[in-house]
Amino acid sequence: LQSAFVNAIRITGHVNRPELLEACDRAGILVWQDFALQWGNDGSADFRKEACRQIQDLVRLVGHHPCLALWCCHNKPRGEDSAELDSALAAAVHELDDTRKIVPASSPSEHAYTGWYTDDYRDFDKLPGRPMVTDFGAQALPCRESLEEMFGDESLLWPPSWPEWVDRNFQYDLTFNVAGVEQGKSLDEFINNSQEYQALLLKYAIEHYRMAMYRGIEGIFQYSFVDSWPSIGFSVIDYFRRPKLGYRALQVAYQPLLPVFIFRRRQAYSGGRVEGILTMINDTGDPLENAELEFTLEVEKGTLITWMAKLKAVPPHSVTADAIETVSDDFCLPTNMTLGPAHLRMRLFDSTGARIAENVDTMEVVPPPPV
């Protein structure tokens, strides 16, 4: 968690091992603790009474942990009876703990799955689920080694035995028809395509949420960090504790100091300009002053061009749009620029010249318009 710069987690719909809360106490990671209640219930008085007894047991069990910041009584409630139940549960928690925030229910409206269950991942710029985004993410296949351990029979892996994959939580329709992940010509290609899509979605979503953290976004919880059973899930670290590309996406997008280049368009033609605005996120308690940003445009076939930008002062705990003070050559491309997909790499240097952050995004160099 710490190496991915995660400073708060949600224990969703269950009670975890005490070692997790003890580790969060030591690391200073805040915890959103769910009661183990999800979706519908039978609405009876007996159910309500037993649920209130159990949620008070939960408070007694883990309430002494300083990392615990919030109680949530119900995840994704359904049915007309849920409001009465959730109010009773919140009151039961308040009897034992009036020092922490108590959320009667985590509503589906807080769960942002654009790019997976609905719509397109680029709609994260509309900040779905705000102000407190309690779920967002996408599935990704584990690595080949983990899939082989999970299935135990390589013949089920390629070509995929879809009933066996679905039994392990693979979401066929959403993978291919909403996310548009390409299956490819081999298992390794399919794994890479799946993990690249999850990483792309998470990085895009986190960057846009963080850029809005002082104008409507109170917090975000990516779903999920690690799988609790050998499955094809939403985790960035699989059941066998092997990271996916999505884990690296978290490490990049959650950096306390983060440069984000917002493209006006992701295509630039040879001899034209790379068009966009730089936003600087400073999640530290110190101002960022006299900093420089190195932009390197790397085209797959070898062309490389570098610009240096001097940045405006960035206050602590702030988001600064249009953060460039001056930039060399105004992001203009040479007329002989190699065409094709390109990576725009940004390296942030402090006043001493030490590199303190790095980010990368993708674009394309296209042919110039005809004269």
Side-chain angles (χ1 to χ4, degrees):
L1 288 170
Q2 288 178 301
S3 64
F5 303 107
V6 175
N7 59 17
I9 63 171
R10 178 179 180 183
I11 300 177
T12 306
H14 71 288
V15 181
N16 212 297
R17 295 166 58 97
E19 290 90 342
L20 174 63
L21 294 174
E22 291 164 2
C24 288
D25 288 342
R26 292 191 298 270
I29 294 173
L30 297 179
V31 173
W32 167 312
Q33 175 65 63
D34 275 13
F35 178 49
L37 180 63
Q38 182 152 311
W39 299 321
N41 63 90
D42 69 5
S44 68
D46 286 344
F47 184 97
R48 187 162 59 250
K49 180 180 179 181
E50 177 61 18
C52 287
R53 183 190 69 79
Q54 289 190 24
I55 202 169
Q56 288 193 330
D57 282 349
L58 173 64
V59 175
R60 295 186 185 98
L61 179 67
V62 302
H64 62 283
H65 286 281
C67 65
L68 205 149
L70 181 149
W71 303 104
C72 180
C73 303
H74 195 169
N75 186 42
K76 300 181 184 178
R78 295 174 181 171
E80 297 178 357
D81 298 318
S82 291
E84 184 178 359
L85 169 64
D86 299 343
S87 295
L89 290 169
V93 173
H94 190 266
E95 285 181 15
L96 300 184
D97 185 356
D98 61 0
T99 65
R100 294 183 174 99
K101 183 175 177 63
I102 302 168
V103 176
S106 178
S107 165
S109 65
E110 304 165 5
H111 305 162
Y113 283 99
T114 182
W116 190 256
Y117 289 117
T118 61
D119 306 319
D120 186 287
Y121 78 88
R122 285 164 290 197
D123 288 332
F124 274 109
D125 63 4
K126 300 179 180 66
L127 310 179
R130 62 182 168 184
M132 180 68 81
V133 187
T134 57
D135 266 16
F136 70 97
Q139 276 196 352
L141 299 178
C143 66
R144 171 185 278 272
E145 186 177 1
S146 292
L147 285 172
E148 289 173 351
E149 289 188 50
M150 186 189 309
F151 280 83
D153 182 349
E154 291 189 31
S155 69
L156 302 174
L157 292 175
W158 197 262
S161 174
W162 295 124
E164 295 287 342
W165 283 53
V166 171
D167 282 349
R168 291 161 178 83
N169 204 37
F170 179 70
Q171 296 181 341
Y172 181 100
D173 175 52
L174 303 170
T175 297
F176 296 119
N177 299 323
V178 178
V181 174
E182 296 288 339
Q183 183 173 322
K185 297 179 180 179
S186 68
L187 178 61
D188 290 331
E189 191 174 340
F190 189 18
I191 291 168
N192 184 70
N193 292 345
S194 172
Q195 292 197 12
E196 281 192 343
Y197 179 77
Q198 183 195 51
L200 177 69
L201 180 148
L202 291 176
K203 183 174 181 293
Y204 188 91
I206 292 168
E207 287 178 347
H208 282 79
Y209 282 137
R210 290 189 67 199
M211 286 190 291
M213 63 184 173
Y214 297 109
R215 54 179 181 89
I217 294 297
E218 298 173 358
I220 57 175
F221 293 86
Q222 172 264 335
Y223 181 81
S224 60
F225 195 75
V226 64
D227 285 322
S228 59
W229 64 291
S231 61
I232 299 167
F234 289 73
S235 70
V236 293
I237 296 177
D238 69 33
Y239 175 78
F240 302 100
R241 299 309 190 260
R242 299 183 180 109
K244 304 175 185 178
L245 295 179
Y247 178 74
R248 174 58 182 159
L250 263 60
Q251 288 182 306
V252 172
Y254 278 141
Q255 290 174 98
L257 289 165
L258 181 67
V260 182
F261 193 78
I262 304 299
F263 290 90
R264 288 195 178 98
R265 49 180 285 180
R266 286 184 180 267
Q267 304 81 26
Y269 61 83
S270 182
R273 294 180 67 248
V274 178
E275 297 186 25
I277 296 175
L278 177 76
T279 295
M280 272 301 310
I281 298 170
N282 183 358
D283 235 358
T284 76
D286 299 313
L288 180 65
E289 298 174 330
N290 301 314
E292 287 192 318
L293 197 62
E294 176 191 81
F295 291 85
T296 303
L297 186 64
E298 307 163 354
V299 180
E300 284 185 356
K301 295 181 180 178
T303 306
L304 186 142
I305 183 170
T306 298
W307 303 277
M308 293 302 299
K310 184 175 181 179
L311 302 186
K312 300 174 183 177
V314 182
H317 306 298
S318 71
V319 177
T320 301
D322 197 12
I324 293 177
E325 188 76 55
T326 59
V327 64
S328 61
D329 299 326
D330 199 30
F331 291 125
C332 288
L333 301 183
T335 55
N336 62 346
M337 187 75 183
T338 304
L339 306 182
H343 298 288
L344 184 66
R345 188 173 303 278
M346 296 163 279
R347 296 183 177 93
L348 180 66
F349 299 89
D350 66 15
S351 58
T352 71
R355 190 170 72 186
I356 52 176
E358 185 170 339
N359 198 1
V360 65
D361 215 323
T362 58
M363 55 170 289
E364 185 175 10
V365 181
V366 297
V371 177

